[in-house]
Amino acid sequence: MIKLPDFITTAPANCARPGTDPDLWHSDNPEDRALAMAICHGCPLQPACGTYATTNDLPGIWGGRTRAQRRGTRPTTEIPTQARDEEWTDENGDTRRPCGTPGAYYQHRRRNETCERCQTAYTTRLETERRAALAEEHAQGGTERGYYIHRRLGEPTCEDCRAAMRLSAAARKTARATQQSTALAA
Ligand code: SF4
Ligand SMILES: [Zn+2]
Ligand SMILES: [Zn+2]
């Protein structure tokens, strides 16, 4: 769990209401995230919260938006840059990794530089990692996680992963219904 800034804990934040699960804002589960976003909408702190998180580039949902969504709205001037074969020192005296390495990609990104070689290397690496992860999920006969990996790979989901997804969605629904009826009974 993340430490909340004072303005959120002392003011009437929707997420600070008793009984609200703070982990929703940092969950990997899309349903949890959708729920967190819905709670944010209508929160009186939404604008302040969004600005705070954008300024500090915080992970998780703040002000009703994910980090990727917040980043998308940050004014960025992308600087196209030349790919380098070896380690080099930039105009600020920072040591820069050779292009094509993971470190170089992140160094560019922090500086809003676009480098085609690093971008390609990054995408290729990501895809390889996702394929490997997907193979593991398939070794288990298809899973909910596999379902989302298919989606992230931009490909149709397979039947096994879809079946697993349906099963866990149904299980979550039952769990929620049980939780609600327990809460009502209490
Ligand atoms: S906008 Fe969302 S995260 Fe921010 S204080 Fe409100 S409910 Fe919490
Ligand atoms: Zn590069
Ligand atoms: Zn699959």
Side-chain angles (χ1 to χ4, degrees):
M1 216 180 98
I2 202 161
K3 183 179 174 332
L4 291 172
D6 289 345
F7 79 90
I8 286 187
T9 42
T10 55
N14 282 6
C15 56
R17 283 182 190 155
T20 309
D21 177 4
D23 291 338
L24 292 178
W25 279 260
H26 300 279
S27 171
D28 286 335
N29 184 314
E31 283 187 27
D32 290 349
R33 287 203 301 267
L35 186 55
M37 287 181 194
I39 297 173
C40 285
H41 290 295
C43 172
L45 294 174
Q46 197 178 353
C49 180
T51 308
Y52 173 83
T54 306
T55 312
N56 295 291
D57 198 23
L58 299 175
I61 292 160
W62 295 78
R65 293 187 308 156
T66 61
R67 171 146 74 177
Q69 290 169 331
R70 278 181 270 114
R71 276 184 175 161
T73 56
R74 194 166 51 175
T76 50
T77 8
E78 299 222 318
I79 312 148
T81 194
Q82 195 78 45
R84 313 275 185 133
D85 293 324
E86 298 185 359
E87 200 169 275
W88 57 290
T89 305
D90 68 13
E91 59 284 1
N92 297 315
D94 295 335
T95 306
R96 307 287 297 266
R97 308 286 306 139
C99 282
T101 61
Y105 171 81
Y106 291 110
Q107 288 185 323
H108 288 310
R109 204 169 74 173
R110 276 197 292 278
R111 294 166 179 82
N112 286 333
E113 296 166 354
T114 48
C115 168
E116 252 172 75
R117 193 192 296 172
C118 289
Q119 185 61 49
T120 311
Y122 174 76
T123 328
T124 313
R125 206 158 43 232
L126 200 65
E127 168 143 10
T128 311
E129 280 169 16
R130 283 179 177 163
R131 292 258 163 241
L134 187 58
E136 277 174 33
E137 303 307 315
H138 284 163
Q140 296 173 42
T143 62
E144 181 183 13
R145 183 158 173 263
Y147 178 92
Y148 288 109
I149 302 176
H150 283 299
R151 300 285 296 269
R152 259 175 254 140
L153 282 163
E155 65 184 25
T157 53
C158 77
E159 200 143 321
D160 293 341
C161 291
R162 265 202 312 279
M165 175 67 186
R166 272 196 299 271
L167 270 180
S168 43
R172 268 198 299 275
K173 208 169 150 189
T174 316
R176 254 200 304 276
T178 317
Q179 222 171 32
Q180 266 162 12
S181 53
T182 323
L184 281 179

